Every structure is written in structure tokens, then in C-alpha cells.
């Protein structure tokens, strides 16, 4: 099964660069759109939505479970990689966002030396600086916002069915804020940047941080 939409280039690059046979996590997997990107790795996906997990479970041979990203039911320090794409910005306090990053870092393999690195995680969060997007947010706007999402209903013949609008909380990250949160969570940033109105970072654990 292939993703419904093409993966973002940074996500695709990260997943395809994982060594064959790697075992990883997709924390907040949604419908599992990234599970099919690299067939040579195995991914254990999780989401808090049971309905989305049912959809993600169709991406065999990967596994999908219902779990909260602040209480992931996995053993520490055993995973080769992890991704968490557009998830952490939904947590409403700085402490919870740092906790979520720490929970992912705890699950990654520790670096065995200064030369041999451990597991890595790719994190994406919405950026405050997206002046050129249709939303038009910029560095002087509020960082904590409720964003309307319109769920269109299936049409009944020629009669259009009414749509439902839901509001979702987002924390819009400033430049450098994600890197700061990673450091507070006990991680280090390997690489970071900006793509498609998002800040992203590839992170790993500090060698001295023991589970």
C-alpha cells in the first residue's frame, strides 16, 4: 500500500537512509502514510485515534497500536530510529512538549561511543514563520492558536451534505525553539531546518543519558 499523498522530502530522505533491517517508531502515525516509504525497515506505529490505527494497520508487515505519545508502552533504548511528524505541536504546555521529546529520545539506542552513533529521530512541528502560506502567520503573531479544520461529508446524489468544522490546538514554534526543547529533553540536534511551513530536526540521545 502506498501513501495517499507523496511524503515530504525530508521525511522520505530520513526513512530511506535508514540501514536495511532497522526497527523504528512512528509516534502519532495518523493513517500510516509514511509506513510504506522504505520497505526494508520495520516500523511500530502508534496513534491515540483507534480509527486511524485501524487504517494504519493495513500497511503490512508493520504493526500499529493505540498509544499516547506521553506514555509509550515500549522498552527503552532499543529502537534504531523514530519519526514524529506534526504531532508535538498539539501539546499545550512547554513541559508536555519537552516530555514528549524525552519520551521519544528514551526509546532510541544509546550511542556506544563518540564515533558510533545511536538511534535518531526526526521531528516536525508547525512553524510560526510561514508568512508566505495561506495562513500568513509571522514572527510577531500569537504562538498558541486554534485552527479550524473542515470535515466535508459525502454528497448524497446532487445534494451537497453539510460539512463539520472542528478546531484543533497548535503551538507554533519559533525559529530555534525546537532545538531548545530538544536540549531540555536531554537530546542533541544532528541536523535541523525548515520545510513546508514546518521546523524539523533530526535528534539523538546524549551519550551520558542512561535509561
Amino acid at each position: 500500500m502506498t501513501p495517499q499523498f507523496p511524503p515530504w522530502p525530508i521525511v522520505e530522505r530520513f526513512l530511506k537512509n535508514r540501514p536495511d533491517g532497522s526497527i523504528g517508531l512512528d509516534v502519532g502515525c495518523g493513517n500510516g502514510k509514511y509506513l510504506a516509504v522504505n520497505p526494508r525497515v520495520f516500523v511500530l506505529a502508534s496513534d491515540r485515534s483507534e480509527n486511524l490505527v485501524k487504517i494504519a494497520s493495513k500497511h503490512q508487515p508493520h504493526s500499529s497500536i493505540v498509544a499516547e505519545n506521553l506514555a509509550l508502552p515500549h522498552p527503552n533504548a532499543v529502537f534504531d530510529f523514530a519519526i514524529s511528524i506534526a504531532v508535538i505541536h498539539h501539546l499545550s504546555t512547554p513541559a508536555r512538549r519537552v516530555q514528549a521529546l524525552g519520551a521519544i529520545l528514551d526509546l532510541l539506542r544509546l550511542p556506544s561511543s563518540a564515533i558510533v552513533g545511536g538511534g535518531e529521530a526526526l521531528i516536525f512541528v508547525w512553524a510560526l514563520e510561514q508568512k508566505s502560506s495561506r495562513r500568513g502567520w509571522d514572527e510577531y503573531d500569537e504562538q498558541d492558536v486554534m485552527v479550524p479544520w473542515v470535515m466535508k461529508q459525502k454528497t448524497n446524489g446532487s445534494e451537497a451534505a453539510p460539512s463539520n468544522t472542528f478546531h484543533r490546538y497548535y503551538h507554533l514554534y519559533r525559529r530555534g525553539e525546537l532545538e531548545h526543547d530538544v536540549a531540555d529533553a536531554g537530546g542533541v540536534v544532528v541536523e535541523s531546518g525548515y520545510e513546508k511551513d514546518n521546523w524539523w530536526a533530526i535528534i539523538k540521545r546524549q551519550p551520558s543519558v542512561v535509561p
Side-chain angles (χ1 to χ4, degrees):
M1 180 179 293
T2 57
Q4 184 178 0
F5 300 103
W8 290 342
I10 296 296
V11 182
E12 182 176 32
R13 184 192 75 177
F14 178 83
L15 290 173
K16 288 187 173 180
N17 283 347
R18 299 308 99 190
D20 291 358
S22 295
I23 299 174
L25 298 168
D26 185 346
V27 180
C29 66
N31 63 8
K33 64 177 289 186
Y34 294 113
L35 298 182
V37 170
N38 185 350
R40 296 181 298 278
V41 301
F42 178 80
V43 181
L44 176 55
S46 63
D47 199 280
R48 65 175 300 183
S49 167
E50 185 175 351
N51 289 334
L52 288 175
V53 166
K54 287 179 180 178
I55 298 172
S57 66
K58 298 177 182 178
H59 293 269
Q60 297 297 321
H62 309 287
S63 294
S64 303
I65 63 171
V66 177
E68 290 278 353
N69 65 345
L70 294 179
L72 296 169
H74 311 305
N76 284 349
V78 300
F79 290 94
D80 301 308
F81 69 92
I83 62 173
S84 185
I85 310 302
V87 175
I88 290 174
H89 55 218
H90 290 303
L91 299 174
S92 61
T93 67
R96 288 170 65 83
R97 293 190 289 272
V98 170
Q99 183 183 351
L101 289 166
I104 293 171
L105 286 165
D106 285 346
L107 302 176
L108 299 175
R109 285 188 299 100
L110 278 165
S112 57
S113 69
I115 299 175
V116 180
E120 294 181 338
L122 173 63
I123 310 296
F124 262 73
V125 292
W126 264 20
L128 176 63
E129 300 87 348
Q130 44 177 295
K131 188 175 182 179
S132 61
S133 76
R134 59 182 173 82
R135 305 176 191 93
W137 295 315
D138 204 359
E139 57 182 317
Y140 299 110
D141 289 317
E142 292 291 331
Q143 289 185 260
D144 299 288
V145 297
M146 299 296 291
V147 178
W149 288 85
V150 179
M151 181 176 292
K152 296 181 180 179
Q153 304 297 317
K154 294 181 179 180
T155 58
N156 183 13
S158 60
E159 183 179 345
S163 58
N164 294 322
T165 300
F166 301 90
H167 288 80
R168 300 181 71 188
Y169 170 83
Y170 284 78
H171 174 76
L172 307 177
Y173 270 74
R174 292 186 182 277
R175 179 190 296 271
E177 186 177 0
L178 178 57
E179 290 87 345
H180 181 273
D181 282 358
V182 170
D184 283 352
V188 294
V189 175
V190 177
E191 185 181 356
S192 62
Y194 182 91
E195 183 186 58
K196 296 184 182 296
D197 303 327
N198 291 266
W199 294 111
W200 62 268
I202 297 173
I203 66 177
K204 63 181 183 180
R205 299 177 65 171
Q206 293 274 8
S208 60
V209 177
V210 179

